[in-house]
Amino acid sequence: MNAVPVVTATPAPAHSPAGTVRALDAWRHTADPYAFPYATLLSHLRAVGKHFLPVELLDRLATIRDTLPAVPADAVRAPESVPSARFLRTFLDVVLDKHDDRYDYPSYTALSLLARPVPGSWETARRVRDELLLLLLADLVRFERRSLGDDPADPRGTPPQAELVAKRVRLAVRVMEPAALRVLAPGTVDPAAVAAVPGRTPGGPLARAVLRTATAHDELTLSASMQPVYVLHDEYLFLRTLQSFETTFSFMSASLATAVRCLDGKRPEEAAVLVDAAAGVLKESLPLFSLLATMRPEVFRTFRDFTEGASAIQSQGYKTFESLCSTPATARLDSPAFTSVPAVRADVLRGRRTVEGSWRELVAMHPSAPEADAALGAAVTRLETVHQRWKQTHYRLAVRMLGERSGTGYTQGVPYLASVLANRLFPTADRDSALVG
């Protein structure tokens, strides 16, 4: 059993920004986006926590951002300087979120740096999700394992003991394995071992195999997207786990949006495959909660003091997924669940098409084959079941970590999660025989 450390919320340790400022001033002589001193700046950020970056440095960064050339939204991403300039501007927006007074969950988790174009086919979209998930968790495994050595890189307070690191690695690998079987070279993961004993594959070899596939830009993205607000070890795990959930929600949203188009095109069999794919990746992501549960509660409660204003209730990916299943009731649309994501709420109010709504219309106007309805009904039931399990697990974890404390982002935390346990993604599916084949 690992002892829970006693941690108090104190300012991050003093750390001179002089070297970082000198590196930025030297860079400004060329202003080459490719040569920006990301490593120097990120090393300083992680040494003090983003919440404690000095005003002098933040002002310097804001000035640099203001002088960057504009990059048109529709600019071609290749070659050379256009994507690099865009990435640098996006990176600085994330670093400066608190300075700009627009800090929230998307900026805390650096989702804009992790965003990737949505491919056409659902298989390709899942591959994009799998590849990003693997990179995020392989980087987490690398970080956790490095804490056991003498490498002073990435200093963190309250490092975990070896037993806890081993547990975290096992749980991370358990989430990685299904994705690795789909996208890595045959033989990298043993399918029989995965099927028999999930999560038993040694973490080091799989993480190293994944990281060998990483490009220089992948490594830059991994580094740039890790901007903790404080200096405690467990926040690294917290951020990578949230980012892993978000890349799963992104795929699920894309998959369900395509399912809606299939239903509108009178192709319920294809829609069933897409809904089932969404259920599959959500089920694969469930062990991420077990990974989150390895955070020491006192450590979590310390660094979360500096995350006020950011809450998972602001997750656009999750709310998009939810609102593609069925149209949320008016009370939910008017609750913090959706007022916290105004862009998603606006899409719903504009009449976003949903799986449930399109399916009902198809059944009413163009009855499909019984086997097609049965397949879609089974997929919907699977997604609903997995999602209910997901919510219950989320609630239990929140109780353990927060107790009666309020949530961040000015939310009610545990009481809010308890209040939505009874909600359903497909509220009519279990009582309308037309929707269950």
Side-chain angles (χ1 to χ4, degrees), residues 328-352:
T330 300
R332 182 152 174 81
L333 275 177
D334 292 339
S335 74
F338 275 87
T339 58
S340 298
V341 286
V344 180
R345 184 174 185 271
D347 286 341
V348 174
L349 293 175
R350 281 194 292 266
R352 163 172 277 162

Side-chain angles (χ1 to χ4, degrees), residues 85-166:
R86 179 188 289 109
F87 186 89
L88 176 55
R89 181 178 289 276
T90 304
F91 169 74
L92 291 176
D93 281 343
V94 175
V95 175
L96 293 166
D97 56 358
K98 285 181 175 261
H99 179 268
D100 294 339
D101 196 26
R102 47 175 186 74
Y103 171 75
D104 58 10
Y105 176 78
S107 71
Y108 173 56
T109 50
L111 297 183
S112 56
L113 290 170
L114 297 171
R116 298 187 174 192
V118 178
S121 71
W122 74 267
E123 294 98 338
T124 307
R126 187 175 64 181
R127 184 179 184 87
V128 169
R129 173 263 179 189
D130 288 347
E131 290 173 345
L132 180 54
L133 178 86
L134 287 171
L135 285 170
L136 292 169
L137 293 178
D139 178 68
L140 173 61
V141 169
R142 174 170 58 185
F143 174 77
E144 292 290 336
R145 290 169 64 88
R146 192 164 57 208
S147 71
L148 299 178
D150 298 325
D151 187 347
D154 293 324
R156 288 291 186 281
T158 64
Q161 296 176 2
E163 179 185 359
L164 184 54
V165 169

Side-chain angles (χ1 to χ4, degrees), residues 231-246:
V231 294
L232 301 182
H233 180 99
D234 287 8
E235 191 178 357
Y236 202 107
L237 178 146
F238 185 61
L239 280 165
R240 285 295 186 235
T241 307
L242 294 180
Q243 291 164 346
S244 297
F245 271 129
E246 289 298 326

Side-chain angles (χ1 to χ4, degrees), residues 10-17 20 39-54 57 152-157 226-232 235-236:
T10 59
H15 192 280
S16 172
T20 304
T40 302
L41 175 57
L42 287 165
S43 177
H44 177 73
L45 184 152
R46 294 176 192 169
V48 301
K50 184 162 69 171
H51 187 84
F52 295 95
L53 287 175
L57 177 58
D154 293 324
R156 288 291 186 281
M226 180 50 61
Q227 299 187 24
V229 294
Y230 198 44
V231 294
L232 301 182
E235 191 178 357
Y236 202 107

